[in-house]
Structure formats: C-alpha cells, structure tokens
Amino acid sequence: MDEAARTRLVNNIVGHVLQGVEEPVLSRVFEYWTKIDATIGQRVREGVTARRS
C-alpha cells in the first residue's frame, strides 16, 4: 500500500469509528489495527482522539 492508500484507509476507519463507536469496542478497534500495522493503528488512534476533543 502506498502512502495515499494508507491515508485513505485511516480516514475511512476514523470516519466510521466516529459514528458512535464507544468503549469497550473503541479500545478493541485500536488494538486490532495496531496488530495489523503499528503505524496505521497509531494514526487511527490519533485521528479519533483529535476529532473527539
């Protein structure tokens, strides 16, 4: 996956998570994506955190 594809993926995940995903599922989302790819997991966490604040 190139960087543009990674950015689209992260934005897509963050957009869906912000539509009402709450704990404990939210923590599992972060854990899942971090296991798949540490950078994507971190970017998802940061994207959700930034937009929820």
Side-chain angles (χ1 to χ4, degrees):
M1 215 180 318
D2 65 12
E3 188 56 35
R6 283 177 177 256
T7 298
R8 287 190 302 273
L9 175 62
V10 168
N11 289 337
N12 192 5
I13 296 165
V14 170
H16 286 286
V17 168
L18 290 173
Q19 292 182 17
V21 176
E22 300 291 335
E23 292 294 346
V25 176
L26 186 59
S27 292
R28 290 173 51 202
V29 168
F30 298 148
E31 180 182 353
Y32 174 82
W33 285 106
T34 299
K35 285 182 179 180
I36 301 255
D37 182 281
T39 302
I40 289 176
Q42 183 63 32
R43 289 173 63 183
V44 168
R45 180 184 300 271
E46 290 170 356
V48 170
T49 302
R51 293 186 193 173
R52 282 191 157 187
S53 298

